[in-house]
Amino acid sequence: MADQNHSVSPVRDGMLTYCYLLLYIALSSGQIFFNKWVLSSKEINFPYPLGLTLLHMIFSSVLCFVLTKVLKILKVEEGMTLEIYTTSVIPIGAMFAMTLWLGNTAYLYISVAFAQMLKAVMPVAVFILGVAAGLEVMSMRMLLIMSVISFGVLVASYGEININWIGVVYQMGGVVGEALRLIFMEIFVRRKGLKLNPISMMYYVSPCSALCLLVPWIFLEKPKMDAQGTWNFQPLVLTLNSMCTFALNLSVFLVIQHTSALTIRVAGVVKDWVVVLLSAILFADTKLTLINIFGYAIAIGGVAAYNNFKLKKEATRAASSDNSSSSSPIPTASSSAKASS
């Protein structure tokens, strides 16, 4: 009977993981279309990506506070110190704010499909910054994979009919911000040794991101909103949009907590294909060409090779860590450093 329960547990965990992944893909795809509609729709008339992102972070901060401190439905994990907050949470929050702001701004200039194609260069940015931070090691194989991804994105860009370089710059800035956030997250978990549950991460990160967005919003978008009198926005639509964003951010942390950052990248690839294909149906500004699809397919092939390489590397690292711990009952300083690197 115990064996039967033991065999059921992995199946149940696997089903739960797939549910989290499907939830992430659905929420992420839907949120991209929702943001595009809010920012570009004449009915909503809210072309302020910085203000929209700030609203998301304020909503998330308030909701996390209510859930944890007022209603006390959820609990914030202990262990956060001023040193960890200043060296880890603030950089993560700042990069999170940068990613969302620049990524949403790009939708004002380029199509949703083309924005997703440009996001395929994410592993290149993550790897380059990882090498600079000492988290990755340069090799010929990785250099080849990065070249394939970059070539695919270039081909996809060449096939874009209505390319807008301002939008490209904004989107690539968002890619760099997301890559830096992932690097800081890895340092936060691996070197600081503190693992927070999803609601705790949102509780600490959201207020920091909101503050990082507030200053540029005051100088860049608030004067435009005052001049055009668009403060009378539709509260129901923007509240629903903020709730969807909160659910999406929570699902990202849930997937990472129950699987790995690698899995979220694989799920992100699936989501990007869904967004590219659906956006061609939903939005008039999306016109896909064969060159677009061909270049994106090349880039995705490179991303798949990158994910496969990382998966094997993590498996090898885990195996070597287990072997070293079993052969040495008392861990030495060198073995601890090796396991944390």
Side-chain angles (χ1 to χ4, degrees):
M1 188 69 179
D3 292 339
Q4 185 178 359
N5 293 334
H6 183 72
S7 62
V8 171
S9 182
V11 175
R12 185 179 59 189
D13 293 342
M15 291 297 294
L16 189 62
T17 299
Y18 281 115
C19 288
Y20 284 134
L21 289 173
L22 290 174
L23 177 66
Y24 161 73
I25 292 172
L27 286 173
S28 184
S29 304
Q31 188 62 35
I32 288 172
F33 296 138
F34 201 171
N35 287 346
K36 173 71 174 180
W37 180 64
V38 169
L39 293 170
S40 61
S41 171
K42 293 181 180 179
E43 292 83 5
I44 304 301
N45 191 27
F46 196 79
Y48 303 106
L50 187 51
L52 182 64
T53 309
L54 175 60
L55 187 64
H56 292 166
M57 291 298 101
I58 293 175
F59 183 88
S60 177
S61 301
V62 173
L63 191 57
C64 284
F65 180 81
V66 171
L67 290 174
T68 58
K69 300 300 181 181
V70 179
L71 300 178
K72 296 183 179 179
I73 299 174
L74 300 170
K75 184 180 179 181
V76 177
E77 292 185 9
E78 303 295 332
M80 181 61 64
T81 63
L82 181 62
E83 189 269 337
I84 292 176
Y85 194 88
T86 54
T87 59
S88 297
V89 176
I90 290 180
I92 290 172
M95 292 304 102
F96 194 38
M98 175 181 169
T99 299
L100 297 175
W101 168 25
L102 298 181
N104 285 332
T105 304
Y107 292 139
L108 296 176
Y109 300 94
I110 58 178
S111 68
V112 171
F114 186 46
Q116 299 309 119
M117 292 179 186
L118 292 176
K119 284 182 182 180
V121 80
M122 177 72 68
V124 178
V126 173
F127 180 71
I128 292 174
L129 292 172
V131 171
L135 300 173
E136 300 283 355
V137 179
M138 181 65 73
S139 65
M140 287 301 297
R141 183 174 180 179
M142 289 302 294
L143 193 60
L144 178 61
I145 292 174
M146 298 300 111
S147 300
V148 169
I149 296 175
S150 302
F151 176 73
V153 172
L154 285 175
V155 172
S157 302
Y158 180 77
E160 180 67 12
I161 297 175
N162 301 315
I163 190 168
N164 186 307
W165 290 107
I166 296 177
V168 171
V169 170
Y170 273 119
Q171 185 59 60
M172 297 311 294
V175 167
V176 172
E178 177 65 5
L180 285 170
R181 186 184 73 86
L182 291 173
I183 293 297
F184 286 132
M185 284 283 288
E186 188 167 352
I187 293 174
F188 178 66
V189 173
R190 188 188 294 183
R191 295 186 178 175
K192 301 296 181 181
L194 182 64
K195 292 185 178 180
L196 300 176
N197 61 30
I199 196 69
S200 298
M201 182 61 75
M202 293 300 299
Y203 177 84
Y204 290 119
V205 170
S206 296
C208 178
S209 297
L211 288 175
C212 292
L213 291 164
L214 180 62
V215 175
W217 174 78
I218 291 174
F219 292 101
L220 296 177
E221 286 188 355
K222 185 177 180 297
K224 296 179 183 178
M225 296 176 70
D226 290 335
Q228 297 183 12
T230 51
W231 282 91
N232 295 323
F233 50 75
Q234 299 186 26
L236 181 61
V237 173
L238 293 178
T239 300
L240 183 60
N241 183 263
S242 298
M243 288 181 65
C244 291
T245 302
F246 178 81
L248 170 61
N249 293 334
L250 200 61
S251 73
V252 171
F253 291 120
L254 278 171
V255 172
I256 291 177
Q257 186 184 47
H258 286 82
T259 57
S260 65
L262 179 65
T263 305
I264 199 76
R265 286 199 293 267
V266 175
V269 170
V270 177
K271 178 264 299 181
D272 289 342
W273 270 112
V274 171
V275 170
V276 167
L277 297 177
L278 284 181
S279 62
I281 301 173
L282 298 175
F283 297 105
D285 65 347
T286 302
K287 295 179 177 61
L288 295 178
T289 65
L290 289 176
I291 299 178
N292 274 146
I293 299 298
F294 179 67
Y296 191 49
I298 294 175
I300 290 301
V303 172
Y306 171 79
N307 289 334
N308 182 59
F309 180 81
K310 291 286 290 181
L311 183 63
K312 290 181 178 179
K313 185 177 178 181
E314 289 181 4
T316 303
R317 180 186 297 164
S320 62
S321 177
D322 291 340
N323 291 334
S324 62
S325 61
S326 62
S327 61
S328 178
I330 302 177
T332 61
S334 60
S335 64
S336 300
K338 183 178 180 181
S340 63
S341 63

